[in-house]
Structures are given as C-alpha cells and as structure tokens.
Amino acid sequence: MLTFAQGGKIIIEMTSDEGEKYFFETPVKPEGTVEQYMNKVDDEMKKSLHVITKRAVYGYAKEDRIPWISKQLGMVALVGTQIWWTFSVEDVFRRVSSGDKHAMKNELAKETSDLNDLIAFVRTDLDNLLRKVVNTLIILDVHARDMVDAFVRDSILSAKAFAWESQLRFYWDLIHDDVKIRQCTGQLDYAYEYQGLNGRLVITPLTDRCVMTLTTALTFKLGGSPAGPAGTGKTETVKDLAKGLALRCVVTCCGDQDYKAMAVIFSGLI
C-alpha cells in the first residue's frame, strides 16, 4: 500500500500487508499515466531499499545484534544477517589457514550463543511486527548454526570446499556497492523487491539441493522445473528462493479442467 501526502501530490511511504512501513528516500510525484508513475514508484522502492540496506549492513558491527535487529525492516534484517554470517564464516577459514585450529569451534559457540539470545528475546513482550522478524531470523540462525556444526564435525576448513561453495552466500560487493548472492558457480543480484514480513521456510538438505539447482540454472539464463507429488513443497521452495533474492514471484495455477479459468489467467498476463 502507498501513502500519499500533500493532498495526494506525492507518494512518501510504502506499507506491507502486515503493517510494516518505510519512507522513500525521494518522494514520488504521481504524474503522467498510471504505468509511468508506478514505474517510478518501483524504481524508488529499489533505490530506497538499497540505501536502507547499505546503511544497515555498515551499521551491523557498530552495535549489539538485538538492538540492531529491532531497528531494521524485516527483509533488511534478514539480508544483513546473512551477509555478516557469510563474512564471519569466511573469516574463520582465513584464521584457520593462519594457524588458528579452534576458530571454527569458537564460531560455533558464538552462533549458538546468538541463537539462544534470539530465542530468549522472542519470549519477551514484543510487538507483532518485531516478533515476526525474530521468528524468521531464528529459522535462518538454526540453519547457519547447523552448517557450522557440520563444518566442525566434518573438518571443513577451506572456503573452496563444496560444503561451503554449495551454500547460498550473501556478500556486500564493494566494487558494485551492492549485494551479490553466490552459490557454486552462480552469481545473482539482490533485486530489492519489498517483501514485507511474509516469513521463510525451514531449510532442509532437500531444499538446499533444489535451491542450488535453480540458482545454477538462473545463472546460465535457464529455467527450472521442480517435479514431484502434490503438496511436497515445490512451489513454496521456489517462492522461498524468490524471497531470499528479494525477487517478485508470481504463482499461476493452471488446471486442465476449467478452460474459463485459463482464459482469465492469460488475459491478465497479456
């Protein structure tokens, strides 16, 4: 939802279905046709979220994690946390190569402590919006902790190991001044589509493999076609990947029983 100000002359704010909101860095004037000014709104959404994300990522190391989370938009808290987790793990690999044999175990202890802090925080009296953010962060933190635990167990001590390369890794690229997402040989851009607080799926080894296949295909400008029985999470996995990339995902349900429904779908797409 958009917020208009000055008697409808400018658009200053965007609000999610859950009630989370943020201000545009530069207000948008609703001038011209609907298509023209909605494109301007779309561009300003991405520019504003880029600025907000950069500010949050650079501020992460300057304060404690819980107060930092409390100040951020949901999607910004998620991507900022993932960027710094990637940096922390790769810093551990650098320390291990320099002779610190206990670096990975120390990282595991730190991540376990951070996860316990989030669990304690979510049990306090939080507003609904912040609680949704923390719940989603706990899902990501559990996966991050489990991955580092596996690295300790399997003695993964190099950033070149497939166990690390196969992870969906988030970086703040200083050259491009933007978020870059890497997995195996693939690299994707963060799209800055406002996600609101729509939650994330629990990450399993199977969804990890599905995501790795899809990101590799996308890197080579190909598509993906998850197959399997109904209700096993194929669509939800694709939607969850889109949330991670901050990319718009449109789900179209096409059945072969009702030709009228198909006509409505295609008329909406054209």
Side-chain angles (χ1 to χ4, degrees):
M1 184 175 70
L2 300 176
T3 301
F4 290 77
Q6 296 182 10
K9 294 180 180 179
I10 57 172
I11 302 170
I12 61 170
E13 190 179 57
M14 181 174 282
T15 306
S16 71
D17 291 340
E18 300 83 14
E20 184 186 57
K21 60 181 67 176
Y22 71 97
F23 285 98
F24 288 157
E25 292 293 311
T26 305
V28 178
K29 295 182 179 179
E31 297 175 342
T33 64
V34 173
E35 292 85 355
Q36 289 174 330
Y37 79 74
M38 286 305 293
N39 280 330
K40 292 179 183 177
V41 168
D42 191 58
D43 291 339
E44 183 56 38
M45 170 187 70
K46 294 175 182 178
K47 290 177 184 176
S48 296
L49 287 174
H50 175 266
V51 171
I52 293 168
T53 301
K54 181 178 179 179
R55 191 181 298 137
V57 169
Y58 277 72
Y60 183 94
K62 297 179 181 178
E63 58 184 313
D64 292 336
R65 190 176 181 223
I66 297 296
W68 178 86
I69 291 169
S70 303
K71 298 175 184 176
Q72 310 303 330
L73 293 173
M75 64 179 286
V76 173
L78 298 186
V79 71
T81 296
Q82 289 174 297
I83 288 169
W84 277 95
W85 176 71
T86 301
F87 171 81
S88 297
V89 175
E90 296 200 344
D91 186 54
V92 168
F93 290 136
R94 285 190 288 270
R95 283 187 278 144
V96 168
S97 64
S98 300
D100 186 354
K101 297 180 180 179
H102 302 290
M104 192 63 76
K105 289 184 179 179
N106 293 337
E107 177 65 19
L108 176 60
K110 176 182 178 299
E111 292 193 11
T112 301
S113 175
D114 287 345
L115 176 59
N116 289 335
D117 288 344
L118 275 185
I119 292 170
F121 185 52
V122 82
R123 290 172 175 167
T124 61
D125 185 19
L126 306 178
D127 65 72
N128 289 334
L129 297 181
L130 183 55
R131 185 175 300 278
K132 288 179 180 179
V133 175
V134 176
N135 282 338
T136 306
L137 275 172
I138 288 173
I139 292 172
L140 297 182
D141 269 20
V142 167
H143 177 68
R145 190 274 316 270
D146 288 348
M147 290 311 306
V148 174
D149 186 39
F151 294 164
V152 172
R153 184 188 66 233
D154 300 334
S155 298
I156 304 298
L157 303 175
S158 171
K160 299 296 183 183
F162 180 72
W164 177 243
E165 289 279 348
S166 62
Q167 293 302 303
L168 198 63
R169 309 182 315 280
F170 291 71
Y171 299 84
W172 187 270
D173 191 304
L174 295 177
I175 296 175
H176 296 92
D177 195 33
D178 207 349
V179 181
K180 297 294 180 182
I181 304 164
R182 297 171 189 152
Q183 190 171 32
C184 294
T185 57
Q187 177 168 293
L188 300 166
D189 294 327
Y190 192 72
Y192 295 103
E193 183 81 29
Y194 182 46
Q195 301 294 307
L197 299 171
N198 48 19
R200 296 290 292 276
L201 293 181
V202 172
I203 304 167
T204 69
L206 180 57
T207 55
D208 257 346
R209 260 177 281 171
C210 291
V211 167
M212 181 172 60
T213 303
L214 291 170
T215 55
T216 304
L218 289 171
T219 301
F220 293 105
K221 310 300 182 186
L222 300 172
S225 182
T232 52
K234 301 183 296 298
T235 302
E236 292 303 320
T237 299
V238 174
K239 287 168 62 179
D240 196 64
L241 172 60
K243 291 176 188 177
L245 303 178
L247 190 65
R248 185 173 182 234
C249 180
V250 179
V251 178
T252 303
C253 297
C254 300
D256 58 354
Q257 303 299 318
D258 187 356
Y259 68 92
K260 293 181 180 178
M262 290 290 290
V264 171
I265 289 169
F266 282 105
S267 65
L269 293 175
I270 293 174

